[in-house]
Amino acid sequence: MREGSLDAPTRHIIDWNNPDFYDEQKLDEELRRVFDICHGCRRCFNLCDSFPRLFDLIDASETEELDSVSSEDFKPVVDACTLCDMCFMTKCPYVPPHEFNLDFPHLMLRYRAVEKKNGKDKFVSRELSKTDRNGKLAAPVAPLANWATNTSNKMTRGIMEATLGIDKNAALPKYQSKSLVARAKEAPLEINKDAPAFGRKAVIYATCFGNYNNPATGEATRKVLAKNGIETEVVYPGCCGMPLMEQGDLAGVVENAKKVSAELGGWIDKGYDVIALVSSCALMLKFEWPLLAPGDPAIEKLSKATFDVAEYVMEFAKKEGMADGMQPIGDSMAVHLACHARAQNMGAKGAEILRLIPQAEVTVVERCSGHGGSWGIMKENFETAIKVGKPAARTALNSKAKYIASECPLAAEHLLQGIEKLDAGAAPEKTALHPIELLAKAYGL
């Protein structure tokens, strides 16, 4: 047996249709096996709050070993996991193919799936995960919804904290009256036929966040690709299911996967590449869906054809080259490498595309922002989320960069909140954007 492994991590199929997956005794045995190995290693202590909670739990026990820890006390450890995958991808020496066979995030996912099956999932989190419904309901009243959820609205945010448990200080996504899909239909773009990459075709998977909350990322992507000669279409068959996955609703994830892959498969057949606008969604399409629905031909085909947006830009930049016309934007940039972008194992593509901008000064921020999706906005988690993201916020602040870019839009806003905690005077001078938006700015688009 090797002490650790230097092999590339590999993942097993998530066997969620097997009755043993939901057997609580077998789950507890696996939790204890994995937690005991983690206790003996502790290499992951500074990644998120799950591991400090686990180690404190063991250290405070009678024997200071796992044998004197009650299984009922495991839940806070599970609840603190944001499924960021960084322990699996960057820290743990015992992931497959090592014989210890540790996959901490997917074990936490199994625990939540058991909770879901037993009806123990939380109402508010479950409702927040219904992103398509929420986006459609909010669109007709977007100005009112954004007024009510603004952190400056002490009255409504106080009510939300008291009734829903959403921290009154946590920044929440804004809603748009007009979706990205609708905007793309209304504003066709002229394709630059003189660009080196002319002839390529890509279908942009809008994602729920890109469609309902932040269409600016999708609009910037369309413009940058048109400038580079690439024909695009924007589609949105439905959510990738990441919010459902966070709640352990694996059946819901697979249902969405089958729906989305069926529609996007038609575009692949017509010669289109697939671009996901949000790194979490790209991760789902490329890696998580095939593990949840192994052998599904539509899902496997989509997995092989999908690019993260920054990954796609670098793909044609290296093969064909970029169109002329980029100019310096005159300010330094700090780019946060989102956990779900890093989990795709594609390299620091967000930083790479910013370095395409002439005279770009790019500071790379590799630590977690601490946000963790819907986890980081809850009252019991928000201050912890700020604490976890503090090293990343400090790096971004010390860079003196005006633009705080991240492939995860929620992470970028959360980093601004972290910067405000460190230096309230500096925060208003900074702007949170996706790297593709800065590329569009360099092109003058």
Side-chain angles (χ1 to χ4, degrees):
M1 180 189 297
R2 289 183 296 173
E3 173 59 28
S5 175
L6 294 178
D7 295 326
T10 60
R11 277 195 141 148
H12 299 310
I13 300 301
I14 301 173
D15 197 15
W16 67 280
N17 283 310
N18 187 335
D20 285 349
F21 188 83
Y22 302 95
D23 186 300
E24 294 185 52
Q25 182 178 342
K26 292 181 178 179
L27 170 60
D28 187 67
E29 291 172 358
E30 181 64 3
L31 285 166
R32 288 185 172 276
R33 184 187 77 85
V34 170
F35 286 177
D36 196 43
I37 296 171
C38 293
H39 163 50
C41 175
R42 302 203 175 199
R43 184 176 176 179
C44 48
F45 75 96
N46 64 343
L47 284 180
C48 68
D49 208 42
S50 274
F51 298 106
R53 290 186 188 191
L54 174 61
F55 304 145
D56 287 348
L57 186 65
I58 295 171
D59 293 343
S61 69
E62 183 179 353
T63 64
E64 299 184 8
E65 296 291 345
L66 194 64
D67 61 0
S68 58
V69 176
S70 170
S71 298
E72 285 70 33
D73 293 331
F74 289 164
K75 182 170 170 52
V77 176
V78 179
D79 287 348
C81 175
T82 62
L83 303 181
C84 75
D85 281 344
M86 284 300 96
C87 58
F88 184 88
M89 291 298 298
T90 70
K91 288 288 186 182
C92 183
Y94 302 125
V95 299
H98 191 277
E99 57 193 297
F100 281 2
N101 192 29
L102 263 66
D103 189 336
F104 191 93
H106 280 181
L107 181 58
M108 301 301 99
L109 178 64
R110 179 182 174 185
Y111 188 105
R112 292 177 189 176
V114 172
E115 282 192 315
K116 175 72 176 177
K117 183 178 177 64
N118 293 335
K120 295 181 180 178
D121 53 329
K122 295 180 180 179
F123 172 78
V124 173
S125 297
R126 185 170 65 246
E127 296 307 306
L128 288 174
S129 71
K130 299 175 181 177
T131 53
D132 288 336
R133 181 205 63 184
N134 297 342
K136 290 173 183 176
L137 288 175
V141 292
L144 179 61
N146 295 336
W147 168 81
T149 58
N150 196 299
T151 53
S152 64
N153 193 329
K154 303 300 182 184
M155 179 185 68
T156 55
R157 288 306 301 266
I159 294 171
M160 289 176 66
E161 181 174 283
T163 58
L164 302 177
I166 297 173
D167 195 285
K168 61 185 179 182
N169 296 312
L172 298 178
K174 300 291 187 290
Y175 283 101
Q176 304 294 323
S177 300
K178 188 175 294 184
S179 70
L180 174 61
V181 171
R183 295 176 188 218
K185 288 181 179 177
E186 292 178 359
L189 297 174
E190 183 178 351
I191 307 301
N192 179 9
K193 296 181 180 179
D194 297 324
F198 176 70
R200 281 180 174 254
K201 298 185 294 184
V203 58
I204 297 173
Y205 172 49
T207 75
C208 59
F209 196 90
N211 199 45
Y212 300 120
N213 302 108
N214 187 21
T217 301
E219 291 181 302
T221 301
R222 292 181 66 229
K223 291 174 181 177
V224 168
L225 296 188
K227 176 72 174 179
N228 281 277
I230 301 170
E231 174 192 336
T232 59
E233 298 285 344
V234 179
V235 300
Y236 182 62
C239 176
C240 73
M242 174 59 82
L244 298 174
M245 188 163 167
E246 290 174 348
Q247 308 308 317
D249 186 0
L250 304 185
V253 175
V254 172
E255 181 181 350
N256 284 23
K258 291 182 180 294
K259 177 183 177 182
V260 174
S261 61
E263 179 163 335
L264 291 178
W267 292 97
I268 297 170
D269 292 340
K270 291 187 285 187
Y272 284 73
D273 299 315
V274 178
I275 301 173
L277 291 178
V278 177
S279 55
S280 299
C281 308
L283 179 68
M284 292 294 285
L285 272 62
K286 291 161 72 174
F287 297 107
E288 298 289 5
W289 285 2
L291 296 177
L292 288 165
D296 185 297
I299 288 174
E300 289 184 356
K301 178 169 70 174
L302 177 58
S303 171
K304 295 174 183 177
T306 297
F307 294 84
D308 184 276
V309 58
E311 178 187 25
Y312 189 72
V313 171
M314 288 310 304
E315 207 264 343
F316 72 75
K318 291 178 179 178
K319 285 188 177 179
E320 289 96 2
M322 298 290 289
D324 295 334
M326 271 194 284
Q327 299 295 324
I329 60 176
D331 291 289
S332 59
M333 298 160 273
V335 58
H336 168 251
L337 303 182
C339 296
H340 284 166
R342 296 175 67 189
Q344 294 175 55
N345 202 25
M346 61 183 181
K349 293 296 183 283
E352 288 181 36
I353 68 169
L354 291 183
R355 292 188 180 115
L356 297 172
I357 299 173
Q359 302 176 29
E361 296 179 20
V362 181
T363 298
V364 176
V365 181
E366 293 188 79
R367 293 288 291 271
C368 178
S369 74
H371 190 276
S374 60
W375 178 87
I377 66 174
M378 306 308 293
K379 180 173 175 55
E380 65 264 29
N381 302 328
F382 178 67
E383 288 304 322
T384 300
I386 290 291
K387 177 184 175 183
V388 171
K390 192 173 183 179
R394 184 181 290 111
T395 300
L397 176 63
N398 291 343
S399 73
K400 309 296 184 183
K402 175 182 177 180
Y403 297 111
I404 309 299
S406 177
E407 296 139 303
C408 174
L410 293 173
E413 291 291 342
H414 188 69
L415 283 175
L416 284 186
Q417 288 205 279
I419 289 171
E420 186 177 18
K421 292 272 188 178
L422 294 169
D423 185 345
E429 301 174 0
K430 301 183 184 299
T431 304
L433 296 169
H434 190 285
I436 195 72
E437 294 179 76
L438 292 173
L439 209 61
K441 182 180 178 64
Y443 272 123
L445 301 173

